[in-house]
């Protein structure tokens, strides 16, 4: 009804998690296969174990994973995109690309991308401005570097204090090979970042140079 032309492939499975794994394994046309999978956050903690197993499966298959929490929530004025950033390697590079792609969409074209970087003290803050500032300026995507002094605040306090006015937030996730109990890690992550605005959790699995993509 919307005039979208597409190829459709249907898979049957006993549950959505198994079905998702099968689709990812089989989807594609010849050598063309998706490198990034977007999932909706599971609101039921009873499903976290299966959900985390799916994330691990996708990561091991070298697929980037993007989890949206807050589907159906209001995105406000679509003016502020917050990225909690650690540079262009791994999750940081992928989050910057995703934020840029979102910014170029019609609905978000007037939005500002803010790269939030945490520093423990003023000396560290100045060092981050000197090292990351030129990197941000060289990118053709446009973004504002926002170096934040922690001042004794926990990470969850920083997120709620700084990103309370944002319309969407991007956060990186730890890799499954680093976290021994990924279900416990994912549960803690959700508890620490609970509440609005809508949040996108990003896990980069591909070994690519994000700087070359963004430069």
């Amino acid at each position: 009804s919307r005039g979208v032309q597409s190829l459709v492939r249907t898979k049957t499975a006993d549950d959505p998690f198994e079905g998702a794994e099968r689709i990812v394994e089989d989807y594609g046309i010849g050598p063309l296969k998706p490198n990034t999978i977007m999932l909706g956050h599971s609101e039921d903690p009873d499903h976290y174990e299966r959900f985390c197993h799916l994330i691990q499966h996708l990561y091991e298959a070298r697929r980037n994973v993007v989890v949206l929490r807050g589907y159906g929530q209001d995105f406000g004025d679509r003016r502020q995109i917050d990225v909690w950033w650690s540079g262009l390697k791994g999750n940081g590079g992928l989050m910057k690309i995703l934020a840029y792609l979102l910014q170029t969409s019609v609905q978000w074209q007037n939005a500002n991308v803010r790269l939030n970087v945490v520093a423990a003290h003023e000396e560290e803050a100045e060092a981050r401005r000197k090292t990351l500032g030129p990197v941000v300026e060289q990118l053709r995507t446009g973004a504002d570097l926002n170096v934040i002094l922690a001042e004794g605040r926990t990470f969850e306090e920083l997120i709620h204090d700084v990103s309370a006015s944002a319309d969407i937030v991007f956060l990186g996730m730890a890799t499954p090979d680093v976290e021994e109990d990924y279900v416990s890690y994912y549960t803690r992550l959700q508890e620490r970042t609970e509440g609005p605005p809508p949040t996108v959790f990003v896990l980069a699995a591909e070994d690519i140079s994000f700087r070359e993509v963004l430069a």
Side-chain angles (χ1 to χ4, degrees), residues 189-203:
L189 179 64
Q190 298 305 316
E191 292 173 348
R192 293 172 66 192
T193 61
E194 187 177 9
T199 303
V200 180
F201 300 93
V202 177
L203 175 60

Side-chain angles (χ1 to χ4, degrees), residues 35-56:
N35 68 342
T36 302
I37 309 299
M38 186 169 186
L39 306 171
H41 165 65
S42 177
E43 300 290 345
D44 188 349
D46 292 338
H47 293 162
Y48 280 6
E49 184 172 356
R50 293 296 307 278
F51 189 74
C52 288
H53 181 273
L54 174 60
I55 292 176
Q56 290 176 281

Side-chain angles (χ1 to χ4, degrees), residues 17-170:
F17 301 104
E18 181 183 344
E21 291 183 8
R22 291 185 182 181
I23 288 177
V24 171
E25 290 173 355
D26 299 340
Y27 191 81
I29 303 176
L32 298 178
K33 296 182 181 298
N35 68 342
T36 302
I37 309 299
M38 186 169 186
L39 306 171
H41 165 65
S42 177
E43 300 290 345
D44 188 349
D46 292 338
H47 293 162
Y48 280 6
E49 184 172 356
R50 293 296 307 278
F51 189 74
C52 288
H53 181 273
L54 174 60
I55 292 176
Q56 290 176 281
H57 178 83
L58 297 175
Y59 179 78
E60 291 169 359
R62 309 298 292 173
R63 302 296 203 279
N64 303 318
V65 182
V66 177
V67 180
L68 171 62
R69 185 186 68 197
Y71 177 77
Q73 289 185 13
D74 183 14
F75 288 103
D77 296 327
R78 292 182 168 86
R79 289 300 186 100
Q80 185 69 47
I81 302 171
D82 266 15
V83 178
W84 287 84
W85 203 52
S86 58
L88 285 176
K89 294 183 179 180
N91 293 341
L94 181 56
M95 287 193 294
K96 185 66 183 75
I97 290 174
L98 294 173
Y100 170 69
L101 292 174
L102 181 62
Q103 187 185 30
T104 58
S105 67
V106 174
Q107 292 181 316
W108 291 84
Q109 61 183 347
N110 295 318
N112 174 65
V113 176
R114 182 171 61 176
L115 305 179
N116 295 321
V117 178
V118 179
H121 45 75
E122 185 56 47
E123 291 78 7
E124 184 181 2
E126 185 60 28
R128 290 187 178 275
R129 293 188 189 99
K130 289 182 179 179
T131 56
L132 296 177
V135 174
V136 175
E137 290 179 2
Q138 290 173 6
L139 302 180
R140 60 179 173 81
T141 58
D144 296 327
L145 180 63
N146 181 34
V147 180
I148 305 159
L149 284 175
E151 298 179 327
R153 290 174 291 178
T154 63
F155 184 61
E156 50 263 48
E157 288 174 335
L158 286 169
I159 292 177
H160 288 117
D161 289 349
V162 176
S163 293
S165 60
D167 297 306
I168 192 167
V169 175
F170 286 81

